[in-house]
Structure formats: C-alpha cells, structure tokens
Amino acid sequence: MNVELKPGERVDELQRNGYRIIQDPGRFCFGMDAVLLSGFARVKPGERALDLGTGTGIIPILLEARTQGESFTGLEIQEESADMARRSVSMNGLEDRIHIVTGDIKEAAQIFGAASYHVVTCNPPYMTANHGLRNPKEHLAIARHEVLCTLEDVISQTARILMPGGRFYMVHRPFRLAEIMTGLCAHGLEPKRMRLVYPFADREPNMVLLEAMKGGKPRITVEKPLIIFKEPGKYTDEIRDTYGY
C-alpha cells in the first residue's frame, strides 16, 4: 500500500517478507540494536507482545515477520515517531496485526492493564540524564538519554504488564549490567538468558541482550558471544545469515 511521505522522510527495505519502513534521518533511524533484539526475542504462537518506546515501529514489524505471535503493539510517546510507525504498518498491510499507541512508558500499565501481555520488549535510552553529551535536538536526546523515562520506569512497568511466566527482552549497554540485574530481580523479573554483543572479536562488548521471566526460578544461561563484524565493513556469517545483512 502506498502512503504519503513527509518532507525529509525515506522508505527503507527491511530484508524480511518484503517489508519496508519509513524513516527520517533528521530525527532518528533504527540501528543494529533493534535488529538484534528482534532476533533475540521469542514470541510463541498465540502470544501478544508489547514494545515499549517503539520509535518508528521497527521491533513490532520485525517481530511480526519473524515470529508466530498473535498481535504486536508499540507504545511511543513522541507523536511524530508514532505517526511514522502507523504509516509503516499501513504501508505493509499489517493493521490487523500491529497497533501503535501514543503514550508514556511510565503509564504503560495504566494504558494496557496489569498482566495483559505474554511478551514485553524494549530498546530503551542507554544513558542516564547526566551521562555523556546530550543532543541539543530534543527528539534525539529523548531516544538516547533518560529524559522522559528511566531504566527503573521500564522495569517496573514491565513487571506490572507481564502475565505470570511472561518474558521481557531488552537490549542495553554492558556498563549498566549490575544496575539492570538488580532492578530486574527487585521487581520479580528473573534473568534467564544473556548474550553479549561485540563489534569485533578483539573489542569489548558494546551491547547486551537480556531475557527475564516474571516469577521465574533463579538460573541464567549465558549464550556465546555475538560478533557483528569480521573486518571493517564486512558482517560476520551469523549476522548475514540470521539477520539478513
């Protein structure tokens, strides 16, 4: 389906099911972290999934392409991004499978109700409000720094939204891993899987993929490292074969 593009917008191919997505390089474009999270997350047949802070809807669209979930919802506070997400959903003919809601992560449980989803995903802002240089463009600052929501907001709302036994999938930065683990356990979300992501085999990890289960028993599986590049500009076989890049 054809949709109207606004000034500055472009359409990118997603290499999945022929799906495309509308992006605006002047605002915010999805990155490898969102792609990796969509591949790490598991949505089983009949399950409902919610993506917190969905941006332009990349994770719900990729999850719909990769999994047999029943429905996918994206929550986004910035109306401009939510509008782009809705138009991407319409462009791909997925209105009956993906729903985009404009709203605040801090009010997610109030918006959707307690114990309402089997799966919650999130690619949250990585930096605290005072960490690093804040982008002078507010929409970019919101995406990268904890301006409108904190890690605690994400975790506490997820704990309320998930059904017992439900699963939470998040991508974040390793330097906040201790804080993440402490927060998950404090809210009854037991870490179950973890995978560190390395840009190159000889570098430090720059991302961590996590799965936690609501009310799960203590036991975590640390999966083998995921390497993005085998040399500058060339993706590893796993990235190329698994994610289509």
Side-chain angles (χ1 to χ4, degrees):
M1 180 183 298
N2 293 323
V3 299
E4 182 179 350
L5 295 181
K6 297 181 178 179
E9 294 180 346
R10 72 185 190 208
V11 176
D12 290 343
E13 299 291 333
L14 291 178
Q15 315 299 326
R16 291 282 174 182
N17 293 13
Y19 290 167
R20 300 176 295 163
I21 190 168
I22 299 169
Q23 299 203 91
D24 183 349
R27 290 187 56 81
F28 188 80
C29 293
F30 75 88
M32 181 60 74
D33 44 7
V35 175
L36 297 180
L37 179 59
S38 71
F40 184 77
R42 298 169 178 171
V43 186
K44 301 174 185 177
E47 290 187 332
R48 298 189 302 278
L50 169 66
D51 183 46
L52 298 177
T54 199
T56 55
I58 180 63
I59 291 175
I61 291 173
L62 288 178
L63 285 177
E64 196 282 336
R66 298 180 65 97
T67 76
Q68 299 299 314
E70 179 181 292
S71 67
F72 306 85
T73 302
L75 178 67
E76 173 54 43
I77 195 168
Q78 299 189 74
E79 177 53 39
E80 295 86 353
S81 296
D83 174 66
M84 290 171 67
R86 290 189 190 97
R87 285 184 286 129
S88 290
V89 168
S90 177
M91 179 173 59
N92 292 303
L94 298 172
E95 296 96 330
D96 61 336
R97 302 266 292 153
I98 301 176
H99 305 92
I100 305 298
V101 177
T102 303
D104 192 336
I105 285 176
K106 296 193 294 292
E107 300 171 355
Q110 179 180 339
I111 294 170
F112 299 107
S116 53
Y117 283 89
H118 304 89
V119 172
V120 172
T121 58
C122 189
N123 178 11
Y126 296 143
M127 307 300 179
T128 61
N130 299 319
H131 187 275
L133 295 175
R134 175 169 161 169
N135 197 297
K137 295 181 179 179
E138 189 68 8
H139 54 271
L140 292 176
I142 288 170
R144 294 166 180 166
H145 283 74
E146 293 184 343
V147 177
L148 298 183
C149 77
T150 65
L151 179 62
E152 168 67 17
D153 293 329
V154 170
I155 293 174
S156 62
Q157 289 296 305
T158 295
R160 295 180 62 190
I161 292 166
L162 278 178
M163 300 177 181
R167 303 178 309 286
F168 176 44
Y169 298 95
M170 180 171 64
V171 59
H172 218 292
R173 292 287 190 244
F175 77 87
R176 298 188 68 182
L177 196 47
E179 179 187 358
I180 293 168
M181 293 295 195
T182 300
L184 290 172
C185 293
H187 287 281
L189 298 172
E190 187 65 33
K192 303 299 290 183
R193 291 168 58 217
M194 182 179 84
R195 192 173 194 189
L196 289 167
V197 181
Y198 296 73
F200 296 92
D202 60 350
R203 303 278 181 87
E204 292 185 0
N206 62 354
M207 285 183 273
V208 60
L209 296 161
L210 286 161
E211 174 188 334
M213 178 179 291
K214 183 173 181 178
K217 296 181 179 179
R219 179 180 174 86
I220 185 169
T221 298
V222 179
E223 300 183 350
K224 70 174 184 176
L226 177 59
I227 315 298
I228 303 297
F229 295 102
K230 54 185 175 183
E231 59 183 83
K234 291 189 177 181
Y235 290 112
T236 59
D237 292 344
E238 182 172 8
I239 295 296
R240 188 183 68 248
D241 297 342
T242 304
Y243 301 99
Y245 285 86

